[in-house]
Amino acid sequence: MKILVGYRGVNVGKDLLKEAVKRARTSNGEVHVVTSMFGGGTTEGEKIREAEENLVKAGQFLHEQGVKNETHLLIRGRTPGEDLVQYARENACDEIILAVKSRSKVGKLIFGSTAQYVILKAECPVVSIR
């Protein structure tokens, strides 16, 4: 089983990784930890380095837990939602785990929602963690 974790490296990220470990252990699966950044002129070098460091830490955590894993930083000019759905499709992922924010309906309408996009467009089951 391939489990994709949409990872931003913030506090809820630990909860995502713990859930991924639990699911990977029960299915002898592997975890793909993916961070997506839009790219182009909007992505600063410092933010890229920070994302890379967060991915290294995530990979180390999963390795220490005995879970096979890969980490990927995607900067392909797509929104994070588009990137995660496309990555899952390209890599035949069986499940996606991601965090959801509490936002009002109006806030989601105005600002969009990565989680909402992934939930609606993914071809595999999506587990959301608050």
Side-chain angles (χ1 to χ4, degrees):
M1 175 178 219
K2 286 186 187 177
I3 302 165
L4 182 142
V5 175
Y7 190 70
R8 291 183 49 212
V10 292
N11 292 337
V12 74
K14 292 180 183 178
D15 294 335
L16 296 175
L17 294 176
K18 288 177 185 176
E19 183 65 23
V21 166
K22 184 170 71 172
R23 290 173 174 277
R25 284 182 178 162
T26 61
S27 66
N28 194 27
E30 64 183 76
V31 177
H32 293 234
V33 183
V34 176
T35 297
S36 171
M37 302 176 87
F38 190 74
T42 61
T43 303
E44 301 169 11
E46 185 176 320
K47 289 186 179 185
I48 292 172
R49 282 188 296 280
E50 182 180 332
E52 289 171 337
E53 289 171 8
N54 287 334
L55 285 169
V56 167
K57 290 176 188 175
Q60 288 172 340
F61 172 79
L62 292 168
H63 179 74
E64 290 168 2
Q65 300 299 311
V67 174
K68 183 178 175 185
N69 70 88
E70 296 179 14
T71 60
H72 300 276
L73 176 58
L74 306 179
I75 306 175
R76 307 191 288 190
R78 297 184 180 129
T79 67
E82 292 168 333
D83 252 351
L84 293 174
V85 169
Q86 185 64 34
Y87 182 91
R89 188 176 299 125
E90 291 169 352
N91 292 277
C93 293
D94 300 297
E95 183 174 70
I96 300 172
I97 301 175
L98 48 77
V100 294
K101 295 179 190 176
S102 294
R103 243 194 238 170
S104 70
K105 291 179 183 177
V106 174
K108 286 181 184 174
L109 178 66
I110 294 170
F111 299 110
S113 169
T114 298
Q116 184 178 19
Y117 183 90
V118 173
I119 290 167
L120 293 174
K121 301 289 186 176
E123 296 172 1
C124 61
V126 178
V127 176
S128 59
I129 297 178
R130 183 182 255 181

